[in-house]
Amino acid sequence: MVKEQRWQNILNEIRKNDSVTLETIMLLNHVSRSTARRDLEDMEAEQLLRRVRGGAIPLRTYSRSDSVWHLAETPVPLGSSNETEPTFRARETLYREEKERIARAAHDLVSPGETLMLGGGTTILTFAHTLSDINPLYLATNDLQSALVLSDYENVDLTILGGSLRRKHYAMRGYFTEQMIAQMHADKAFIGIDAVDLNVGYMNYSTAEIQTNKLMLANSHQKIILADHSKFEKIAFVNICKIREIDLLITGREIDEQYLEKLHDLGVNVVTV
């Protein structure tokens, strides 16, 4: 398949799903992983998309005529939040099967009658979908997507942590959110993160939600991080906590073996699923 057709297939997939994974590109274009990566690198250089860990997301909208790619919209301004952090919708389609495995492992840690705090993110949302069969549960979350799922579960006594809405990420944050968390104590906190580094610790792109995550961890007896393998060996803008300041890290078996060994060497309690 010629390069131009491969690129067209990739852009079509991004238009449909707001993102594309390397695995999808390999199947779609019948190419190796290295060719899929090279296509994404070349397309990013042509400002056709933005690469993220494990795939790509839209940069702007394009049309095609006479083998020439034309801009159809103004590019995302440099320095905007989209420059570094994909939207919730873009992240939702990435590593779905791995996130489901992580969610099931987290579900098995929850007992009837427990109080839980849930942060934001797509892995936490996947976890929320698993909680309909544990009765009763007392839950607080600042994530509107998770709240919508949990609101249908009769076994869940749900508290929504109000505050200011972070648009396109469906998370509540700010003074009022933090004041509510400060009055609570939970058996377990389940937090999603954007990046993990052995020296820096667990990080998020957004400064807006950092204090929310910090308070959830501080006000919970057991601190649990849920993260797919793409979050490792990355740096995000601001630190949540150090690498050993949590009780459990759950990730997918796709994590690099050498990196997993380093986590164990540092005394991090890691479960791979």
Side-chain angles (χ1 to χ4, degrees):
M1 187 182 297
V2 297
K3 181 175 73 173
E4 188 173 275
Q5 183 59 55
R6 296 200 308 268
W7 286 21
Q8 181 68 66
N9 291 342
I10 292 168
L11 288 174
N12 288 343
E13 190 70 17
I14 289 177
R15 287 192 190 102
K16 286 191 296 182
N17 299 310
D18 289 327
S19 67
V20 66
T21 65
L22 279 172
E23 288 77 11
T24 298
I25 294 170
M26 291 163 62
L27 291 171
L28 195 64
N29 290 336
H30 308 289
V31 295
S32 66
R33 183 175 290 270
S34 61
T35 299
R37 282 202 183 101
R38 188 164 57 251
D39 278 341
L40 291 185
E41 290 170 2
D42 292 344
M43 292 175 74
E44 185 176 52
E46 294 291 331
Q47 297 188 320
L48 296 172
L49 49 74
R50 183 172 305 285
R51 286 186 298 151
V52 294
R53 185 85 173 194
I57 59 175
L59 177 63
R60 42 187 133 175
T61 303
Y62 294 86
S63 61
R64 177 184 175 273
S65 64
D66 300 326
S67 302
V68 178
W69 296 94
H70 299 282
L71 295 182
E73 291 181 357
T74 304
V76 176
L78 289 174
S80 72
S81 61
N82 288 339
E83 186 70 13
T84 54
E85 183 178 12
T87 66
F88 187 98
R89 292 303 184 197
R91 289 180 285 120
E92 194 173 16
T93 60
L94 296 173
Y95 314 113
R96 184 169 292 166
E97 194 272 336
E98 180 185 0
K99 291 174 183 177
E100 289 172 354
R101 281 185 269 121
I102 293 169
R104 288 194 295 270
H107 166 277
D108 291 343
L109 298 175
V110 180
S111 299
E114 286 190 322
T115 54
L116 310 179
M117 289 192 195
L118 270 58
T122 57
T123 308
I124 299 296
L125 174 59
T126 307
F127 170 53
H129 277 282
T130 71
L131 295 175
S132 63
D133 64 340
I134 305 173
N135 189 27
L137 280 180
Y138 304 92
L139 270 145
T141 183
N142 68 317
D143 186 83
L144 294 185
Q145 297 280 16
S146 292
L148 284 172
V149 170
L150 295 165
S151 67
D152 286 333
Y153 295 167
E154 294 184 2
N155 61 306
V156 172
D157 186 324
L158 177 64
T159 298
I160 300 173
L161 301 168
S164 299
L165 175 64
R166 188 176 176 220
R167 296 185 183 280
K168 297 186 179 181
H169 296 271
Y170 309 102
M172 310 303 290
R173 67 331 188 244
Y175 175 81
F176 294 107
T177 311
E178 293 161 16
Q179 288 298 304
M180 290 184 72
I181 299 171
Q183 306 303 314
M184 298 177 176
H185 184 81
D187 294 304
K188 296 181 175 76
F190 292 89
I191 302 295
I193 47 88
D194 294 323
V196 184
D197 178 82
L198 295 175
N199 296 314
V200 179
Y202 306 96
M203 294 160 281
N204 273 1
Y205 287 114
S206 170
T207 58
E209 291 182 63
I210 287 298
Q211 190 60 22
T212 299
N213 288 334
K214 284 179 176 285
L215 283 170
M216 284 187 178
L217 293 174
N219 288 20
S220 298
H221 178 70
Q222 190 173 8
K223 305 163 180 59
I224 303 167
I225 298 286
L226 308 184
D228 68 71
H229 76 284
S230 71
K231 306 299 173 62
F232 295 90
E233 297 185 271
K234 292 177 65 178
I235 296 291
F237 187 55
V238 62
N239 179 260
I240 300 172
C241 64
K242 295 297 183 183
I243 199 75
R244 285 180 288 189
E245 291 180 350
I246 55 121
D247 297 299
L248 181 63
L249 169 62
I250 306 177
T251 188
R253 55 180 175 262
E254 293 86 349
I255 185 174
D256 180 80
E257 285 292 334
Q258 292 183 341
Y259 202 85
L260 182 60
E261 289 180 10
K262 291 177 182 178
L263 287 168
H264 286 310
D265 290 343
L266 288 172
V268 180
N269 186 14
V270 187
V271 170
T272 57
V273 292

